[in-house]
Amino acid sequence: MLFIIGLGLYDEQDITVRGLAAVKRCKRVFLEAYTSILLVDKEKLEAFYGKEVIVADREMVESRIEVILDGADKEDVAFMVVGDPFGATTHTDLELRARALNIPTKVIHNASIMNAVGACGLQLYRFGEAVSIVFFTDSWRPDSFYPRIAANRQRGLHTLCLLDIKVKEPSLESLARGRKVYEPPRYMSVNTAIEQLLEIEESRGEGAYGPDTLCVGVARLGADSQSIVAGTMEELQNYDFGPPLHSLVIAGNTHVIEEEILSAYRIHGAAQG
């Protein structure tokens, strides 16, 4: 059987009891390591789970999936995902490919940013469609998510912005030379996301949001050092949220209860944690 197991948000202990039992029975254990990351090293996972953990990078999952699926019809294999297994479409594809090979699958869920973001004080049922913000390059400044933010805001809904991470990404120069040289990992900060969002608004000028729009920056959600800070885009742009991972929520219309909770997280005198 192929087990697709959510690991939660923070460290090796966030796995569920059911997930840990599944890992311990598996012959091979893979850790998906490019759609998100845990805030602990692989060695801590191995010590806690009592299993060798094989890191599955983007190249393996997208181009060499047979490494994971081979033999999963005869022995138990674990594919571990930070957050919840279906927080990324990649993992839906993995389940479909396993089914096509008649490999039984079992999914074990866990917390993800998609539900844990409610900790910021904005109510989950008042969120609209989530969007992904990717790093700009000199030649590529995508804004395809802008209409979705605008639509959410027009309906008074909040928007969760999932911020880009780059892990084991080959440089364009190395690809042009026919050999892969990987760039150092990069994790988008709330500050960079806001900078890019404001650049897009200035370019499009359609009024989906602006420097005075209320947002909530979230960093290391679920960790002891988590940071939740509310303020305008302009205020949050220069706030130091510390190490990754970061997420950003663009607020829509706020309910009185939401406003009361957000007041504790306001950038001036914010209570973090």
Side-chain angles (χ1 to χ4, degrees):
M1 178 175 288
L2 175 68
F3 289 91
I4 307 176
I5 302 169
L7 296 183
L9 293 167
Y10 174 43
D11 66 11
E12 73 278 8
Q13 297 186 54
D14 279 0
I15 193 170
T16 64
V17 174
R18 181 178 296 174
L20 182 59
V23 168
K24 287 184 175 295
R25 65 180 271 185
C26 287
K27 296 292 186 182
R28 290 179 293 138
V29 177
F30 294 88
L31 171 65
E32 188 268 271
Y34 70 90
T35 58
S36 189
I37 59 166
L38 281 183
L39 301 179
V40 295
D41 296 332
K42 177 174 79 83
E43 289 72 23
K44 280 198 171 183
L45 300 183
E46 292 177 328
F48 189 74
Y49 302 154
K51 291 282 184 177
E52 177 188 2
V53 173
I54 304 165
V55 174
D57 58 19
R58 181 189 295 271
E59 187 176 309
M60 178 186 291
V61 176
E62 294 185 349
S63 304
R64 296 188 293 116
I65 197 69
E66 67 278 358
V67 174
I68 298 169
L69 295 178
D70 279 355
D73 56 338
K74 301 179 179 66
E75 62 184 20
D76 291 326
V77 175
F79 183 78
M80 304 188 302
V81 179
V82 178
D84 186 77
F86 294 133
T89 54
T90 297
H91 311 129
T92 304
D93 180 66
L94 175 64
E95 184 181 32
L96 289 172
R97 293 182 68 170
R99 289 182 178 183
L101 295 171
N102 294 317
I103 297 171
T105 62
K106 184 174 182 62
V107 177
I108 300 176
H109 295 282
N110 209 321
S112 77
I113 187 63
M114 301 294 285
N115 53 31
V117 73
C120 77
L122 297 174
Q123 297 166 359
L124 290 178
Y125 67 86
R126 296 171 62 86
F127 277 72
E129 186 175 359
V131 302
S132 295
I133 312 293
V134 301
F135 281 112
F136 280 174
T137 69
D138 292 339
S139 59
W140 190 52
R141 306 177 99 69
D143 62 358
S144 58
F145 53 80
Y146 183 90
R148 284 176 281 163
I149 297 176
N152 286 344
R153 296 266 296 159
Q154 288 167 4
R155 297 169 60 199
L157 302 176
H158 314 311
T159 305
L160 171 60
C161 300
L162 304 172
L163 308 188
D164 199 9
I165 71 171
K166 300 288 188 186
V167 179
K168 202 176 179 183
E169 292 282 335
S171 68
L172 295 178
E173 287 184 11
S174 70
L175 290 175
R177 293 173 180 168
R179 62 187 184 89
K180 289 184 179 179
V181 176
Y182 297 105
E183 296 181 338
R186 289 194 299 154
Y187 308 96
M188 184 179 286
S189 65
V190 168
N191 318 83
T192 297
I194 291 175
E195 179 183 350
Q196 293 187 182
L197 284 163
L198 290 176
E199 180 180 323
I200 290 170
E201 178 57 57
E202 184 175 355
S203 173
R204 297 187 63 135
E206 298 172 29
Y209 51 80
D212 294 330
T213 298
L214 176 64
C215 293
V216 186
V218 178
R220 301 171 303 285
L221 189 59
D224 294 337
S225 65
Q226 78 174 19
S227 178
I228 301 174
V229 182
T232 65
M233 282 190 166
E234 186 174 40
E235 289 172 331
L236 296 185
Q237 190 169 6
N238 297 313
Y239 187 87
D240 183 5
F241 284 88
L245 294 169
H246 293 189
S247 300
L248 175 69
V249 180
I250 302 172
N253 298 339
T254 51
H255 185 273
V256 63
I257 295 176
E258 293 176 309
E259 291 173 3
E260 185 176 348
I261 298 174
L262 285 177
S263 66
Y265 292 129
R266 284 283 183 170
I267 194 165
H268 300 296
Q272 298 184 43

